[in-house]
Amino acid sequence: MTWLGIVRSQLRFTFSLGRRSCELAVLLLAFLQVTPLLGAEKNAIEGRAEFQLFRNAMQDIVVRCIYRVSERDVLVGTLKALKKELGPKFTAILPPGLERKDAEEAWLVYQQTLRELAQSADTNQSLKSLVELSLRGYCRTLDRYSTYDDYETWRKFQEFGEPDYTGVGVTVIEGREQDFVCEPIRGGPAERAGIDEGDRLIAVNERSARGATGMLIRTWLGESGKNPVKLRVRHRNGKEETVTVSKEQIQYTPVSVEENESGVQIALHQITERGVADLRNSLRSIDPSRSITLDLRGCSGGTLQFAVVAASIFLPAETVVAKLETLKGTETLLSTNATPYKPAKLTILQDRLTASGAELIIAALRSYAPLKAESYGEKTYGKGVTQDVVKVSGANSAGETVVQPGILTITDSRIYGPNGEVWDQEGLPPSRGEIRP
């Protein structure tokens, strides 16, 4: 009811009584009722843009996330995550029974809580930064791959995304406990400076890697022009060390080939369009009568599409490469290769940093019996899911851009091997042993 409507209703009540004292009292009551309504209307306007960004992100999560979450799940989860992220700075009081509230009630609690925190001197953060922090914290509760990044971080990441670049020559992959594992390019500046494969990244130029996203870490590595970068790492023996790494032009080759008397060893470092093309071209020049060793050690994966293409190089058409579980159901991914490469013998090398698409390749090649592929090394990393990267709209229902957009990386499918093999969070053990004979 509007302010004028409240006053009119109260006046009608007063005239029926016919007492002046009651009239004054009721008018005062009307004023007291209107005051909080005016304040609520003002608060509804304040933060409208930031909350619209949140609603857009929430809808993207609900319609894409393989874990089948509801709007209520997201609202309650973001509030809990924000409380954990802020720690003692979380001065708001969450109502009892929050988890039992429906989506509409939880939405009101979310808005009121974030407005209260934004006005708190202890928090000292803008409403937008709190919205983004709540989304980032919630995504971390889904799995170790789902993240939320601000638009500026994403923009910088695009600048440093070229395959040949000036940098320190190290790839970082997400660890199992919200940390990052270093994978230096062989012979690159990071490896020469003392960064070993499997080192845990603690800080970049004294900025803690704890709680950061993979995209943010990569932008830190690309910043500061050509100046050296200080990397603080924890080696596998537990010793911590700060290593200064110079930048240089990195001519990154996703495939390298070595020949010896026993056969040909092909190392696939990254599963990209360029990597798959180089792998195919390398095999064209090798006599199929020779033994092939496919080295996937340290290969952290790449795009699902190119992982399927890479495996299909060795598999005939209509052979099952993998199975994909999405919100729409199960999809079977098949080879379309009419002329597969048939080596005399195929051996695969793997280690604890072999992940994602590289694990898919191993499962596919080992499952195809005529190939008789065997693998040696360590149990793999264990990533059997894919992510969708979405630019979260900063527009309102009218299509007007009201706030800078964000970038949501959300897990949207699970991957299984041809025979239902599961490796997510478990890894694939080698088929023949820890040490190659």
Side-chain angles (χ1 to χ4, degrees):
M1 183 179 292
T2 65
W3 181 86
L4 183 58
I6 293 174
V7 172
R8 283 175 176 169
S9 66
Q10 299 297 343
L11 284 175
R12 283 196 297 269
F13 173 71
T14 302
F15 291 149
S16 67
L17 290 177
R19 294 182 182 179
R20 188 174 182 81
S21 59
C22 288
E23 179 179 329
L24 293 173
V26 173
L27 285 173
L28 177 60
L29 176 62
F31 175 77
L32 292 176
Q33 286 181 306
V34 169
T35 302
L37 286 176
L38 292 176
E41 184 178 353
K42 181 181 178 182
N43 285 336
I45 295 173
E46 292 176 354
R48 183 167 56 190
E50 290 81 0
F51 290 133
Q52 184 62 50
L53 176 70
F54 176 86
R55 287 187 70 89
N56 292 341
M58 177 170 63
Q59 290 167 6
D60 281 326
I61 293 172
V62 170
V63 301
R64 299 171 190 275
C65 183
I66 188 61
Y67 305 123
R68 302 179 185 276
V69 296
S70 65
E71 289 191 357
R72 176 187 159 280
D73 294 331
V74 178
L75 287 162
V76 174
T78 49
L79 284 171
K80 287 185 171 182
L82 184 60
K83 183 175 182 179
K84 181 178 179 181
E85 293 286 335
L86 291 177
K89 293 183 179 180
F90 189 93
T91 54
I93 299 176
L94 296 178
L98 174 63
E99 294 186 2
R100 296 190 298 273
K101 294 185 180 297
D102 60 27
E104 185 176 351
E105 292 172 321
W107 173 232
L108 294 175
V109 172
Y110 179 87
Q111 294 177 83
Q112 181 59 38
T113 300
L114 266 73
R115 285 196 184 100
E116 183 179 336
L117 290 170
Q119 295 168 1
S120 170
D122 293 332
T123 306
N124 193 30
Q125 290 201 47
S126 68
L127 185 58
K128 184 171 187 290
S129 67
L130 289 169
V131 166
E132 294 189 318
L133 185 61
S134 72
L135 286 168
R136 189 174 301 117
Y138 173 70
C139 286
R140 289 195 186 107
T141 68
L142 295 173
D143 60 22
R144 55 188 171 178
Y145 314 112
S146 299
T147 62
Y148 178 90
D149 288 278
D150 60 79
Y151 182 80
E152 189 62 23
T153 297
W154 177 79
R155 187 188 64 78
K156 291 180 179 179
F157 176 74
Q158 298 305 304
E159 294 178 0
F160 305 129
E162 296 300 321
D164 294 328
Y165 62 97
T166 299
V168 297
V170 66
T171 300
V172 292
I173 63 175
E174 287 81 0
R176 297 186 179 276
E177 300 179 1
Q178 293 187 12
D179 59 356
F180 295 91
V181 181
C182 297
E183 181 190 335
I185 294 174
R186 295 174 190 176
E191 184 182 62
R192 297 199 307 270
I195 303 296
D196 299 320
E197 187 178 273
D199 284 352
R200 254 53 184 184
L201 182 65
I202 299 174
V204 178
N205 286 335
E206 300 183 354
R207 288 180 289 191
S208 176
R210 188 74 178 179
T213 65
M215 191 178 294
L216 185 57
I217 292 292
R218 294 179 186 103
T219 61
W220 288 350
L221 292 172
E223 288 175 343
S224 71
K226 296 183 179 180
N227 295 326
V229 177
K230 291 184 178 180
L231 302 181
R232 186 158 186 82
V233 297
R234 181 183 299 111
H235 297 296
R236 298 182 70 172
N237 62 8
K239 179 183 177 181
E240 290 190 10
E241 180 183 12
T242 298
V243 181
T244 300
V245 185
S246 299
K247 289 185 177 181
E248 61 184 50
Q249 188 70 20
I250 305 296
Q251 299 294 331
Y252 187 58
T253 304
V255 171
S256 56
V257 181
E258 295 181 8
E259 295 191 45
N260 52 48
E261 294 180 357
S262 60
V264 182
Q265 181 166 312
I266 305 176
L268 179 59
H269 308 296
Q270 194 174 46
I271 303 171
T272 59
E273 182 177 13
R274 176 179 168 184
V276 173
D278 287 357
L279 174 61
R280 184 183 285 111
N281 290 333
S282 298
L283 289 169
R284 283 173 180 165
S285 61
I286 300 173
D287 190 326
S289 64
R290 303 198 67 183
S291 297
I292 299 293
T293 297
L294 182 60
D295 187 355
L296 295 176
R297 292 175 297 180
C299 181
S300 57
T303 308
L304 173 67
Q305 170 193 353
F306 295 119
V308 173
V309 174
S312 298
I313 291 175
F314 300 92
L315 304 174
E318 301 304 314
T319 301
V320 177
V321 178
K323 296 177 181 179
L324 202 64
E325 178 193 349
T326 70
L327 290 178
K328 297 179 180 179
T330 301
E331 178 183 357
T332 301
L333 307 177
L334 302 175
S335 169
T336 58
N337 189 3
T339 57
Y341 184 86
K342 300 177 181 179
K345 181 180 180 182
L346 179 61
T347 301
I348 305 170
L349 302 183
Q350 60 182 64
D351 65 10
R352 62 195 184 93
L353 293 183
T354 304
S356 190
E359 292 172 296
L360 179 152
I361 293 172
I362 294 172
L365 299 186
R366 291 194 331 201
S367 296
Y368 184 61
L371 201 56
K372 298 180 181 179
E374 298 178 336
S375 64
Y376 297 85
E378 303 173 279
K379 180 184 283 190
T380 60
Y381 177 80
K383 182 178 185 288
V385 290
T386 68
Q387 285 71 45
D388 191 11
V389 179
V390 185
K391 186 177 180 180
V392 179
S393 173
N396 59 21
S397 57
E400 303 166 328
T401 300
V402 291
V403 69
Q404 193 177 60
I407 303 298
L408 184 71
T409 303
I410 199 74
T411 297
D412 64 342
S413 74
R414 295 185 180 93
I415 309 172
Y416 301 94
N419 298 317
E421 297 93 336
V422 176
W423 59 85
D424 189 47
Q425 301 187 50
E426 300 177 12
L428 288 170
S431 61
R432 298 295 294 176
E434 295 293 320
I435 301 175
R436 186 185 177 195

